[in-house]
Amino acid sequence: MQYYFAMDKSYYIAALRLLQSADQVRDRLSGDFASIHGLSVNEFFFLMHLERAPLHRLSRVELAKRLHVNASTVTRMAAPMEKTGLVSRQTDDRDARLSFVVLSKAGHKKLLEANKTFTKQAGYVFQDRWKEKELEQLSNLLHRLVADAPGDLSRDDP
Amino acid sequence: MQYYFAMDKSYYIAALRLLQSADQVRDRLSGDFASIHGLSVNEFFFLMHLERAPLHRLSRVELAKRLHVNASTVTRMAAPMEKTGLVSRQTDDRDARLSFVVLSKAGHKKLLEANKTFTKQAGYVFQDRWKEKELEQLSNLLHRLVADAPGDLSRDDP
DNA sequence: GCATAATGCTTGCGTTTGCAAGCATATCGC
DNA sequence: GCGATATGCTTGCAAACGCAAGCATTATGC
């Protein structure tokens, strides 16, 4: 393959590895999430974004942007989670178009449990392959990709 | 959130950022791939795995493993790509169960074009955010996640 | 103010995908 | 060799998702 700029090959390889690594991790997570918590990986992130948002709530379009999915998908994801009580619906007095998705107490609890599974699986992936220092390097480098967006879930808890 | 082991938080954050970063990159790619080449990101990887395989061919289950999808998905992905001539079908004389997916000349050409788009989009993501040295660090660290599996697409061309 | 545009959300429809069952073929145990 | 099991692939069905259209509400231009 030919590259036009000196760093093109580096871009190419880094992006390839990023995507392949993430696929692998996501694959590992989905099994445990489904069997232990009855959640999909996307539902996990759904709850994560709410947890980190002010008042534990977000509008559906904002949630859609952060999850990189269509707004209609948020509508349809929220429905069953309302039924099981993980989230609730809230309207805005000033703007009747808005309908927030709000994380409930049960949703918060569910998220805490899922976080344990997430950490456990992340451990399986990373441990023995990286030293602490290297892992921090990796984290810091990756952070530049997500730090700009408002949907960065990895910032320190306030 | 509580962590049980010293490095748990590092695992947690690294995995979060990895998944979020990949989602973002994949999102960027999908638009151009669809409009310019008529490919999905998954179809791109589909062709990539064939390109890198001996004889430019793989069985459907092997392809499924590498793409982290169900075998039935490979069957259904291959069908339209056979029609458009990007891949062809090949049976094994010794084992009649096997049916390989083979990359065609047209598929190879399509892949070369798509690779340009891939590199361009990867450049948008990485340039100005990383120096060459940092990018290599990132690549090397991520490589440990994919190097074990037979589906590593990022090794140097033979 | 009022027509026009923009925004937020939902719904219908088609596509993509996973799961489970089924079929054909190959391998294993004896 | 031959039944039992495993493997590779495909198909029916249902769930998940994007796109486009539609409705309600708000913002904008004049």
Side-chain angles (χ1 to χ4, degrees):
Chain A
M1 164 153 187
Q2 288 187 339
Y3 300 98
Y4 293 94
F5 301 105
M7 284 179 67
D8 274 359
K9 187 168 183 180
S10 300
Y11 296 150
Y12 181 76
I13 291 183
L16 265 184
R17 288 181 181 166
L18 178 64
L19 290 174
Q20 285 206 280
S21 303
D23 272 358
Q24 206 171 300
V25 174
R26 180 176 281 266
D27 207 37
R28 290 192 68 104
L29 286 171
S30 64
D32 270 15
F33 271 3
S35 59
I36 302 178
H37 309 290
L39 287 177
S40 70
V41 178
N42 261 1
E43 285 172 329
F44 170 74
F45 277 101
F46 189 106
L47 296 177
M48 283 287 285
H49 281 290
L50 294 178
E51 172 89 6
R52 297 312 193 88
L55 299 179
H56 299 314
R57 65 175 208 181
L58 286 171
S59 76
R60 283 145 202 274
V61 289
E62 182 58 33
L63 208 37
K65 280 181 204 160
R66 300 191 183 194
L67 292 170
H68 300 284
V69 299
N70 194 279
S72 62
T73 299
V74 172
T75 294
R76 286 190 252 256
M77 282 179 78
M81 297 175 94
E82 283 177 24
K83 278 193 183 156
T84 55
L86 298 180
V87 301
S88 61
R89 178 183 295 248
Q90 210 174 75
T91 54
D92 191 328
D93 295 335
R94 306 189 184 177
D95 191 337
R97 293 171 303 180
L98 288 169
S99 98
F100 293 102
V101 185
V102 193
L103 188 67
S104 72
K105 198 127 189 171
H108 175 74
K109 201 173 165 189
K110 171 74 80 176
L111 190 55
L112 286 182
E113 294 162 10
N115 265 327
K116 287 183 197 163
T117 299
F118 187 95
T119 304
K120 194 180 70 182
Q121 288 295 334
Y124 290 155
V125 172
F126 289 124
Q127 74 191 347
D128 304 332
R129 260 191 269 239
W130 285 272
K131 296 179 234 160
E132 170 121 38
K133 195 139 196 170
E134 292 170 332
L135 204 54
E136 275 175 28
Q137 262 184 9
L138 179 70
S139 270
N140 287 334
L141 289 170
L142 286 175
H143 196 207
R144 297 189 199 172
L145 275 177
V146 290
D148 301 346
D152 176 22
L153 293 172
S154 65
R155 65 189 187 281
D156 279 333
D157 296 81
Chain B
M1 166 155 184
Q2 288 189 340
Y3 301 98
Y4 293 96
F5 301 107
M7 283 181 69
D8 274 359
K9 187 170 183 181
S10 300
Y11 298 150
Y12 182 75
I13 291 184
L16 266 184
R17 289 182 180 166
L18 179 64
L19 290 174
Q20 285 206 278
S21 303
D23 272 359
Q24 205 171 301
V25 173
R26 180 175 281 265
D27 207 37
R28 290 192 68 106
L29 286 172
S30 65
D32 269 16
F33 271 4
S35 60
I36 301 178
H37 309 291
L39 287 177
S40 70
V41 178
N42 260 1
E43 284 172 329
F44 170 74
F45 278 100
F46 189 107
L47 297 177
M48 284 287 286
H49 281 290
L50 294 179
E51 173 89 7
R52 297 313 193 87
L55 300 179
H56 300 312
R57 66 176 207 180
L58 286 171
S59 75
R60 283 143 201 276
V61 288
E62 182 58 33
L63 207 36
K65 278 182 204 160
R66 299 191 184 194
L67 291 169
H68 300 283
V69 299
N70 195 279
S72 63
T73 300
V74 172
T75 294
R76 286 190 254 256
M77 283 180 79
M81 298 175 95
E82 282 177 24
K83 278 191 183 157
T84 56
L86 298 180
V87 301
S88 61
R89 179 184 294 249
Q90 210 174 73
T91 54
D92 192 327
D93 296 335
R94 307 187 184 178
D95 191 337
R97 294 171 304 179
L98 288 169
S99 97
F100 292 102
V101 185
V102 193
L103 188 68
S104 71
K105 196 125 188 172
H108 175 72
K109 201 173 164 189
K110 170 75 80 179
L111 190 55
L112 286 182
E113 294 161 10
N115 264 327
K116 287 184 198 162
T117 300
F118 187 94
T119 303
K120 193 180 71 182
Q121 289 293 335
Y124 290 155
V125 171
F126 289 123
Q127 71 191 347
D128 305 331
R129 261 192 269 241
W130 285 273
K131 296 179 235 160
E132 171 121 37
K133 195 140 198 169
E134 292 170 332
L135 205 54
E136 275 175 26
Q137 262 185 7
L138 179 70
S139 269
N140 287 334
L141 289 170
L142 285 175
H143 195 207
R144 297 188 201 172
L145 274 178
V146 291
D148 301 346
D152 176 21
L153 294 173
S154 65
R155 65 188 186 281
D156 279 333
D157 297 80

